[in-house]
Amino acid sequence: MWIISGALLVCTAVAAMYSEELFPFTISAFIAFIAGIILFPFGNKDKQEIAITRKEAYITVTSAWLLISLTGTLPYILSGAIPSFTNAMFESVSGFTTTGSSILTDIESLPKSILFWRSMTHWIGGIGVIVLVIVVMPTLQIGGYHLFTLESSLQEKIRPKIKSVGLRLLYIYIGLTLAEIILLMIGKMNLYESICHSFGTVATGGFSPKNSSIGGYSAYIQYIVMLFMVLAGTNFIIHYYLVKREFQKVKANEEFRFYLTIIVVIGLVITAILFIKQDLPLESAFRESFFQVISIVTCTGYATSDYMFWPPMAWSLIFLAMFLGGSTGSTAGGIKMARHLVVIKNICRNFKQLMQPKAIFSLTLNRNTINDDTNNSILGFVILYLLIFVAGSLLVMLTGIDIQESLSSVATCMAGIGPGLGKIGPSGNFDYMPDITKLILSGLMVIGRLEIYTIIELFTLNFWRR
């Protein structure tokens, strides 16, 4: 809550620079700060290093994301920019979960300070509020990996202490953000828009202060955003290896190779479709194709064109790409590339087993053997993800939304992407949907962002037994 309070004070400074109302941010910052004071004693009773249980970790992570999302609604409501609580909650949850779906119909009509807050919710959510708390608040001496690993089940260890991990991730995160801001400004984007777009890119969020997203900018800026979307969707362990010049470890990372291969293959297929079917110049077809593919695969949601005007085969591939997700240990959402890779390895192993019934084939990922428990957990996650997608789609359809928009809205919200198909495509928004639909989709954003198990476990009887 103190981190949120500080972020709101930064937005107060932005409001002062543009001669906009200060009170929506000062009051919100005060409320968040007081809430932090009230909560702080409950978490600071024992300064000895402790190992929290899985149950405590799940409750802490879930309650923290919900509390911060609720706090995030205050500037929207107090400023009158989004007077409806349901709409404000949708926008706040979408921001902190780095989804990028929006109910706003005219983004540029809002105060710049509100749009800055909107983008900042992405940036905070990207690094993970829980990791930031561990880095900023040294009074919480936590001796386990529970809080850190909830958002990336295949995350590799950098250092033995979660605090050290958090600090190194934060340095890389800030470094990527600053690098993109500088490169965007070189492309003649102003400082304000460079910061907002960098927040949205590095966090794979997708909120833009412009109605046209990235579409109104130069090809140079579009390529810079593409590059940083790819970097943001990469496991941050890869960035750590690159900084340490451990290039062999980067080369040996199967998930990283698979991630890049998927982007290249889908991008080239859609480039060919646009070049042949829509008679676009090759460079334009290449840029439009790869921008949208990278944006969807990394779950960012920025757009340079409306893919709903593409041939059906092209936007159908975009829909399928919504189920991919970026790398584990990145700011991207979705199922994640490592899980898809494990599923493929399972299928290949089953075929080998059919050919050689008496042979024993082990599963490996990045040269590490995957034991049966881990393998079953990964396969279970993928199945559960798809089941929740089907159940969520049916629920949304029951609220009166047509099948195409129901399927794509659930897919895009669960994966944290942003735009979907039809009325919620790159040129549309979620404003027309009933309040109950927005609440369902908000819940799906949180479920998807916290890797499903974190939320689902809270609703099982075994979880609450002593």
Side-chain angles (χ1 to χ4, degrees):
M1 296 306 292
W2 286 343
I3 292 167
I4 297 301
S5 179
L8 287 162
L9 289 176
V10 171
C11 293
T12 305
V14 174
M17 286 175 58
Y18 290 99
S19 302
E20 296 170 352
E21 291 183 332
L22 305 182
F23 83 91
F25 299 106
T26 53
I27 293 174
S28 301
F30 178 75
I31 292 171
F33 185 75
I34 294 300
I37 291 175
I38 293 169
L39 291 169
F40 185 71
F42 296 101
N44 197 40
K45 290 181 179 179
D46 186 0
K47 292 195 175 184
Q48 298 299 316
E49 187 167 318
I50 57 169
I52 63 172
T53 66
R54 187 176 296 275
K55 180 185 289 188
E56 289 165 341
Y58 283 4
I59 293 172
T60 303
V61 170
T62 304
S63 59
W65 279 82
L66 292 175
L67 178 60
I68 287 162
S69 294
L70 282 168
T71 308
T73 65
L74 294 175
Y76 298 133
I77 294 171
L78 292 174
S79 66
I82 308 177
S84 161
F85 170 77
T86 303
N87 284 347
M89 187 65 179
F90 184 92
E91 203 76 10
S92 179
V93 170
S94 181
F96 284 114
T97 58
T98 70
T99 302
S101 299
S102 181
I103 52 82
L104 298 177
T105 54
D106 185 5
I107 295 167
E108 293 176 38
S109 67
L110 269 61
K112 289 186 180 294
S113 53
I114 289 292
L115 295 179
F116 192 86
W117 167 245
R118 185 170 171 259
S119 295
M120 184 173 273
T121 59
H122 272 340
W123 198 78
I124 296 170
I127 188 61
V129 174
I130 303 306
V131 175
L132 281 178
V133 167
I134 292 166
V135 172
V136 175
M137 298 174 67
T139 49
L140 292 178
Q141 297 295 321
I142 298 172
Y145 275 91
H146 305 303
L147 289 173
F148 181 69
T149 55
L150 287 178
E151 286 196 64
S152 38
S153 61
L154 298 173
Q155 179 70 35
E156 303 169 41
K157 298 178 181 179
I158 301 176
R159 297 280 181 181
K161 294 291 183 181
I162 189 170
K163 190 173 175 181
S164 298
V165 174
L167 279 169
R168 281 157 180 77
L169 290 177
L170 188 61
Y171 295 152
I172 293 168
Y173 195 72
I174 292 171
L176 287 172
T177 306
L178 292 175
E180 186 179 0
I181 290 170
I182 293 167
L183 290 171
L184 290 178
M185 289 181 69
I186 291 173
K188 298 183 179 179
M189 184 185 285
N190 65 50
L191 177 62
Y192 170 81
E193 291 175 10
S194 295
I195 294 172
C196 288
H197 285 117
S198 296
F199 282 170
T201 306
V202 176
T204 63
F207 280 159
S208 169
K210 308 294 284 185
N211 288 329
S212 59
S213 189
I214 308 295
Y217 294 104
S218 66
Y220 165 83
I221 284 175
Q222 291 176 19
Y223 279 117
I224 291 298
V225 173
M226 286 165 64
L227 170 64
F228 279 88
M229 285 193 292
V230 171
L231 293 174
T234 300
N235 191 329
F236 271 55
I237 303 301
I238 298 294
H239 298 306
Y240 180 79
Y241 289 154
L242 289 171
V243 171
K244 298 286 286 183
R245 297 183 181 180
E246 297 178 359
F247 302 117
Q248 282 302 116
K249 291 185 178 180
V250 175
K251 186 179 178 181
N253 191 284
E254 291 181 78
E255 182 189 30
F256 183 55
R257 297 200 304 269
F258 183 66
Y259 165 67
L260 294 179
T261 301
I262 289 292
I263 289 174
V264 170
V265 170
I266 299 177
L268 289 175
V269 170
I270 295 181
T271 298
I273 293 171
L274 296 183
F275 181 68
I276 295 167
K277 296 286 187 181
Q278 292 199 321
D279 295 325
L280 284 176
L282 184 58
E283 189 278 331
S284 296
F286 175 86
R287 178 159 39 90
E288 282 193 20
S289 168
F290 272 86
F291 192 99
Q292 311 317 315
V293 169
I294 292 169
S295 181
I296 296 298
V297 169
T298 62
C299 308
T300 306
Y302 279 142
T304 55
S305 64
D306 191 344
Y307 48 71
M308 293 309 300
F309 292 104
W310 291 357
M313 185 179 175
W315 59 253
S316 296
L317 284 172
I318 290 291
F319 175 70
L320 293 175
M322 291 179 182
F323 293 91
L324 295 174
S327 303
T328 54
S330 73
T331 57
I335 292 175
K336 304 283 173 47
M337 289 295 175
R339 292 192 182 103
H340 288 295
L341 194 53
V342 170
V343 170
I344 292 169
K345 284 175 176 283
N346 270 277
I347 294 170
C348 292
R349 184 176 70 167
N350 288 341
F351 278 115
K352 289 179 182 177
Q353 203 77 57
L354 287 172
M355 299 299 294
Q356 303 177 55
K358 293 182 179 181
I360 297 173
F361 298 98
S362 61
L363 284 176
T364 60
L365 184 67
N366 300 331
R367 298 177 182 173
N368 296 316
T369 301
I370 302 172
N371 61 42
D372 288 341
D373 288 340
T374 303
N375 187 43
N376 292 336
S377 176
I378 292 169
L379 296 178
F381 178 93
V382 175
I383 293 168
L384 186 57
Y385 189 99
L386 296 175
L387 286 174
I388 292 173
F389 163 72
V390 172
S393 299
L394 290 172
L395 271 177
V396 171
M397 275 189 269
L398 289 174
T399 65
I401 308 300
D402 71 43
I403 185 168
Q404 183 192 63
E405 285 157 20
S406 295
L407 293 171
S408 66
S409 65
V410 172
T412 193
C413 287
M414 280 190 68
I417 297 169
L421 303 179
K423 293 179 184 176
I424 55 170
S427 300
N429 56 72
F430 290 73
D431 183 54
Y432 76 97
M433 291 187 171
D435 284 355
I436 184 64
T437 311
K438 292 171 188 170
L439 291 174
I440 291 169
L441 294 175
S442 297
L444 290 170
M445 289 181 208
V446 177
I447 289 172
R449 184 57 181 160
L450 298 185
E451 302 266 311
I452 297 179
Y453 285 133
T454 313
I455 303 290
I456 299 300
E457 279 286 335
L458 300 180
F459 295 93
T460 62
L461 291 175
N462 286 335
F463 183 84
W464 298 103
R465 286 174 183 157
R466 294 184 66 84

